[in-house]
Amino acid sequence: MAKTIKFNLICDGNPVRTIEDLQNNFSIEDILEYYKNKLLHRWLEVRGYSDQLKKVEMIMSSEYIEIIRQLIEIFDIEIKENEILEKIYILEYTNNRNKKNEKYNNFNNKINLIIDDYFIQYENLKKEIVIHKKDISFLKASCKKISNDFLKIFDMDYFDMIRTMIDECPMFIYIMLTDSKLRKYMLVSEMNENSSIVKKENIKNINYLITLDNFFDKDKVDEILEKNVIVVSGPTDEYWKDAEPKNKKIMVIRAGNKIVVRNAGKTGEEINHEDYMGKFLILNGLDYKCNENHTLRYMEV
């Protein structure tokens, strides 16, 4: 009898031998690819996970989101729903882009077609952002698309686009402020000093509009971000209170003037209200302290 050859899956760059390994290194992109090419089925079979194999074989959906949801349930993966949606949106976009790229390889002399389609994709994305203005997972995925794939067009369009989003999709303003590339077009404090005079003036005007439209106002913050804004409050009696752990980036939106913040666990660091208010400060984790009953509002990056 031929000997069964056991093999490892590679998830998130790490070898996976057991279900526990799969849980610890779960990657939506990797596991979905293994599911589609049946390598997941073969791995379960040779590793003796017959119960999980039966459940995987019973998945009937052809929709990525539903397939991933069922795989997460089968393998008992701990992951937030919004993280699933964000990764699926990016995955679907990447697949569609790859299909388009394949098409363009057959028409590599038709440069104008590619350029036109590139601009059309960008304009369509802007429309989709407004349509999905309450879907933070879609907005985060769209922000990454602009930052990674459409930055050159955005560099030409940023002034009009940001002004449009202030009126039509204000939640996207906060999302863009969490992106290291896009926030440079919105905040004077992060403006590139080598930018042209016109661009510097535009960024100053955008920063002014964000201030004028009260994107720091607590009522507006709560209205726009709804459940996506995190609020902490109360005195800490001179002690640092840990709100978010290291490696979990957050953006400070608004705080009472007595609240001091720092990166999680960063001894010796104290960032006062005047040093972070209006700058949408991004921190690696969050500690804060306050001697009065003031409130701090922030969001996950």
Side-chain angles (χ1 to χ4, degrees):
M1 176 185 261
K3 183 179 179 181
T4 300
I5 299 176
K6 294 183 178 180
F7 62 94
N8 300 332
L9 297 177
I10 302 297
C11 287
D12 203 23
N14 298 305
V16 170
R17 300 175 181 85
T18 65
I19 294 293
E20 185 178 359
D21 287 344
L22 185 62
Q23 293 168 337
N24 293 333
N25 298 282
F26 188 78
S27 163
I28 286 178
E29 295 89 342
D30 292 337
I31 204 68
L32 187 58
E33 186 61 28
Y34 289 141
Y35 172 82
K36 290 191 295 182
N37 63 23
K38 301 291 184 179
L39 200 58
L40 176 62
H41 303 63
R42 180 61 180 155
W43 180 81
L44 290 169
E45 181 182 358
V46 300
R47 291 286 175 178
Y49 294 117
S50 55
D51 290 343
Q52 288 86 349
L53 176 59
K54 289 178 183 175
K55 292 176 182 178
V56 169
E57 289 176 336
M58 290 175 64
I59 296 175
M60 303 305 295
S61 178
S62 59
E63 298 294 327
Y64 285 165
I65 292 179
E66 184 55 33
I67 292 170
I68 286 298
R69 283 202 180 106
Q70 292 190 48
L71 290 174
I72 285 171
E73 183 177 345
I74 290 169
F75 297 116
D76 195 22
I77 307 296
E78 292 185 6
I79 185 171
K80 293 181 180 178
E81 177 71 9
N82 65 331
E83 292 180 21
I84 299 172
L85 292 174
E86 182 181 345
K87 289 181 182 296
I88 289 296
Y89 283 136
I90 293 173
L91 189 62
E92 289 182 337
Y93 169 76
T94 302
N95 287 339
N96 289 335
R97 187 181 64 181
N98 289 341
K99 289 177 182 177
K100 286 181 178 291
N101 288 341
E102 197 173 321
K103 168 186 165 185
Y104 293 147
N105 288 335
N106 298 324
F107 300 93
N108 55 7
N109 292 323
K110 297 184 178 180
I111 301 301
N112 288 335
L113 174 64
I114 297 174
I115 295 174
D116 289 346
D117 192 65
Y118 186 58
F119 276 88
I120 290 170
Q121 286 183 60
Y122 175 74
E123 290 300 324
N124 287 341
L125 179 60
K126 286 167 61 177
K127 293 174 184 177
E128 288 291 315
I129 287 169
V130 175
I131 293 171
H132 294 86
K133 61 184 178 181
K134 292 291 186 180
D135 185 345
I136 194 166
S137 297
F138 183 87
L139 296 182
K140 284 185 175 182
S142 298
C143 182
K144 289 180 181 177
K145 291 176 195 175
I146 292 173
S147 182
N148 295 332
D149 300 323
F150 294 113
L151 193 60
K152 288 186 177 180
I153 301 182
F154 181 78
D155 187 68
M156 296 183 284
D157 181 54
Y158 68 92
F159 190 66
D160 288 335
M161 180 183 182
I162 292 170
R163 287 192 304 173
T164 298
M165 293 304 161
I166 285 175
D167 294 330
E168 298 186 23
C169 184
M171 187 186 291
F172 198 59
I173 297 296
Y174 292 108
I175 302 299
M176 285 194 292
L177 285 165
T178 67
D179 186 277
S180 60
K181 298 176 190 174
L182 303 189
R183 63 191 274 122
K184 293 178 181 178
Y185 293 86
M186 306 169 74
L187 300 174
V188 172
S189 60
E190 302 207 12
M191 181 170 60
N192 187 338
E193 289 302 319
N194 295 323
S195 297
S196 67
I197 295 174
V198 173
K199 181 174 283 189
K200 286 180 179 178
E201 287 303 311
N202 283 342
I203 294 172
K204 288 178 183 178
N205 288 333
I206 290 169
N207 203 150
Y208 174 73
L209 288 174
I210 291 172
T211 304
L212 186 67
D213 272 50
N214 292 323
F215 276 84
F216 311 111
D217 180 75
K218 66 180 182 63
D219 293 330
K220 183 155 190 170
V221 173
D222 294 345
E223 177 188 351
I224 294 172
L225 290 177
E226 299 176 343
K227 64 182 180 180
N228 300 298
V229 62
I230 303 168
V231 182
V232 294
S233 62
T236 65
D237 301 324
E238 291 289 342
Y239 293 101
W240 286 105
K241 185 170 183 179
D242 55 323
E244 299 291 347
K246 289 180 182 179
N247 301 321
K248 184 176 183 181
K249 288 189 176 183
I250 64 97
M251 183 175 75
V252 177
I253 301 173
R254 178 187 174 85
N257 58 17
K258 299 296 183 182
I259 290 182
V260 180
V261 300
R262 72 179 184 186
N263 290 279
K266 192 168 184 179
T267 305
E269 182 178 53
E270 291 196 8
I271 308 173
N272 296 312
H273 183 268
E274 58 268 22
D275 295 323
Y276 65 77
M277 192 57 189
K279 297 180 180 178
F280 295 94
L281 184 67
I282 292 178
L283 297 174
N284 183 15
L286 172 65
D287 296 339
Y288 74 97
K289 65 179 179 179
C290 181
N291 290 330
E292 299 181 22
N293 192 27
H294 285 200
T295 301
L296 169 65
R297 283 172 167 78
Y298 64 94
M299 67 182 290
E300 292 183 14
V301 173

